[in-house]
Amino acid sequence: MAHFNQRQGLFQSKKDILQYINDDPREYIPYDYSYSEDIFPAINNLFPDVEKLEIKRPLKNIRVFLEGSLVGICFKGFDFNDIDSISLMMEATSSPDVDAVYFINCRFNTSCGIDLPPADAGYYDCEFNEPFYVNTKGRELPDAPIEFHNCVFNSLLSFENIAGCVPVELDRCLFNENSKFSMARFNRDNDKSLYHIDIRSTIFKGLVSFEGATIPERSIFDYLTFFGDVNFKDTVIGEQVLWKNLSFAPFVNKSAKDGFKSFVTALSKNNYTKEAKFYEQNIGIEAVEKKIDKDKLEIAVKSNWVSIKQAAAILGISYTTLLAMRKEDKADGIMRIPYRGEGKNTRYYVPILEAYKSKDMDLVTKLEKEIG
């Protein structure tokens, strides 16, 4: 099945979206379609040489399609706001007739989940306000990934009910303060697999747990920011896993320090000694302060303008991490933390740094306009 890969997205343009789904100007609509009565007849009629079933209700914001002999369903702009809508949705996604499911710009306001279909599952520009559980109940492990692209999580995203190894991809997602991303005990049977975890350009403001998990070979962890606690206790890490451009917030309490220590320990125990040494020496406010002249920093702070190295110290991240963020922003045509100047002449406005550190992006925008 088609799926996004390294920021390309499942659908490349609005024209591509319309090939799979009806357009609707409203942001969300309530979901009340019955799989057996509304969706299955449309699926049945996709196949040639079958007795056609009566379509009693046209599908709006739902598209059923074939890729070869595989059946896919795409949902767009739905609000799954209560138990009834969730039950109807899961009737469709759990059907043995369905091989792939995609959700675009949907909102989940009730605890739910998905039993992974055999071909693919994808969530694009979706919002999750209650716990969401990824399961493999009653099904074989899928060959294609479950993907979350540009999604927002305000609660739990859990892979804890998966004993084996399934392909998982997250790209450009945001986990807010009350969230938790849990892959605890994921792949706990230590299955050898061609599949891996691919997590890129994602911000974790809540808790992150890989406790007791086995991270498969060739997994990718790239451009990730951890504001909350992490847990890598008893994590097994396969070979050739990429750990690149990881940023950790200042360790303001013991649990944050212990969590970071569990990450470094996991790297060391699994033969990633080079990476463990790098993050131990370069991450966290204590490591940054060793390289910063505190007197010069205090003088600069009083002037409200600081250098890039001093900005990294205020943010509690390493100089290399801030450089990496700037490089990524430049490629994407954005500026998460506004600054003035270039190269050695770069200067950051201290109130903006403090606003960014406190996650007040509205204030960051306001202050950027004030400094011109």
Side-chain angles (χ1 to χ4, degrees):
M1 304 298 288
H3 58 87
F4 83 81
N5 182 19
Q6 297 184 15
R7 310 177 188 173
Q8 293 179 5
L10 170 64
F11 302 109
Q12 302 301 306
S13 67
K14 188 172 183 179
K15 180 180 178 182
D16 293 332
I17 292 176
L18 294 178
Q19 291 179 3
Y20 284 90
I21 201 144
N22 300 322
D23 195 23
D24 193 299
R26 292 173 294 179
E27 183 179 6
Y28 296 111
I29 60 175
Y31 183 82
D32 61 355
Y33 288 91
S34 164
Y35 175 74
S36 58
E37 296 179 7
D38 301 323
I39 298 177
F40 178 75
I43 292 176
N44 175 81
N45 294 351
L46 290 173
F47 292 92
D49 304 323
V50 299
E51 182 180 350
K52 302 302 181 182
L53 299 178
E54 180 184 0
I55 303 296
K56 298 180 180 179
R57 181 186 182 189
L59 299 180
K60 188 173 181 60
N61 275 38
I62 301 176
R63 180 68 181 263
V64 297
F65 58 93
L66 290 177
E67 288 197 5
S69 61
L70 300 179
V71 174
I73 306 179
C74 191
F75 305 86
K76 175 172 179 274
F78 284 111
D79 194 349
F80 300 98
N81 204 36
D82 53 35
I83 294 297
D84 290 338
S85 63
I86 291 296
S87 297
L88 289 171
M89 178 268 291
M90 294 190 71
E91 179 188 7
T93 60
S94 300
S95 170
D97 302 313
V98 175
D99 301 295
V101 292
Y102 302 123
F103 293 84
I104 301 172
N105 190 37
C106 290
R107 181 169 59 190
F108 300 84
N109 283 331
T110 301
S111 179
C112 61
I114 185 170
D115 295 335
L116 290 177
D120 201 3
Y123 296 82
Y124 308 89
D125 302 300
C126 292
E127 179 181 326
F128 300 83
N129 294 316
E130 295 293 335
F132 189 86
Y133 300 88
V134 180
N135 307 303
T136 53
K137 295 178 181 178
R139 298 202 182 203
E140 296 181 359
L141 297 180
D143 293 325
I146 178 169
E147 311 158 281
F148 297 91
H149 181 80
N150 201 36
C151 292
V152 176
F153 297 87
N154 295 309
S155 187
L156 169 68
L157 174 61
S158 172
F159 291 83
E160 294 182 12
N161 293 326
I162 299 178
C165 185
V166 300
V168 178
E169 298 185 12
L170 274 75
D171 187 60
R172 296 180 180 272
C173 291
L174 171 63
F175 289 77
N176 279 317
E177 284 81 355
N178 295 320
S179 69
K180 180 178 180 181
F181 175 64
S182 180
M183 299 197 80
R185 298 179 297 283
F186 176 84
N187 191 22
R188 53 188 174 273
D189 294 334
N190 299 310
D191 288 350
K192 290 288 184 180
S193 174
L194 296 175
Y195 309 135
H196 62 274
I197 300 169
D198 189 340
I199 306 178
R200 303 173 186 263
S201 303
T202 293
I203 295 174
F204 298 95
K205 296 182 180 180
L207 305 177
V208 174
S209 177
F210 282 87
E211 181 176 4
T214 296
I215 297 175
E217 296 179 358
R218 298 180 177 84
S219 290
I220 297 172
F221 297 81
D222 189 16
Y223 283 111
L224 308 182
T225 302
F226 301 96
F227 285 96
D229 294 356
V230 300
N231 185 351
F232 284 80
K233 181 180 178 182
D234 300 325
T235 303
V236 177
I237 306 174
E239 298 178 354
Q240 300 182 53
V241 174
L242 176 67
W243 305 94
K244 184 180 179 183
N245 301 316
L246 306 188
S247 176
F248 294 80
F251 307 137
V252 296
N253 53 45
K254 186 176 185 300
S255 63
K257 292 179 181 179
D258 290 345
F260 178 75
K261 184 177 180 181
S262 75
F263 169 66
V264 173
T265 299
L267 290 177
S268 297
K269 285 186 175 180
N270 290 278
N271 300 316
Y272 290 88
T273 53
K274 180 180 178 180
E275 290 85 349
K277 184 177 181 181
F278 171 82
Y279 286 109
E280 193 170 33
Q281 292 181 346
N282 292 279
I283 298 299
I285 192 66
E286 296 91 343
V288 175
E289 285 181 343
K290 293 178 182 178
K291 302 178 182 180
I292 295 293
D293 186 315
K294 292 184 179 180
D295 292 336
K296 290 184 179 179
L297 177 59
E298 289 179 4
I299 294 172
V301 167
K302 289 179 181 179
S303 73
N304 270 342
W305 290 92
V306 296
S307 69
I308 183 172
K309 289 186 177 181
Q310 292 167 336
I314 292 173
L315 293 170
I317 62 178
S318 71
Y319 172 61
T320 53
T321 297
L322 186 52
L323 284 178
M325 288 175 63
R326 285 174 43 147
K327 183 178 180 181
E328 183 186 28
D329 286 355
K330 187 174 183 180
D332 293 340
I334 62 174
M335 188 183 292
R336 280 173 286 183
I337 311 177
Y339 60 87
R340 296 294 175 266
E342 292 294 336
K344 294 181 179 180
N345 295 321
T346 294
R347 290 295 179 266
Y348 284 84
Y349 189 49
V350 173
I352 285 181
L353 295 174
E354 293 173 343
Y356 182 84
K357 189 175 178 181
S358 64
K359 312 176 190 67
D360 189 344
M361 300 311 295
D362 290 337
L363 181 56
V364 169
T365 301
K366 179 181 177 181
L367 291 171
E368 182 181 16
K369 292 179 180 178
E370 288 182 1
I371 64 176

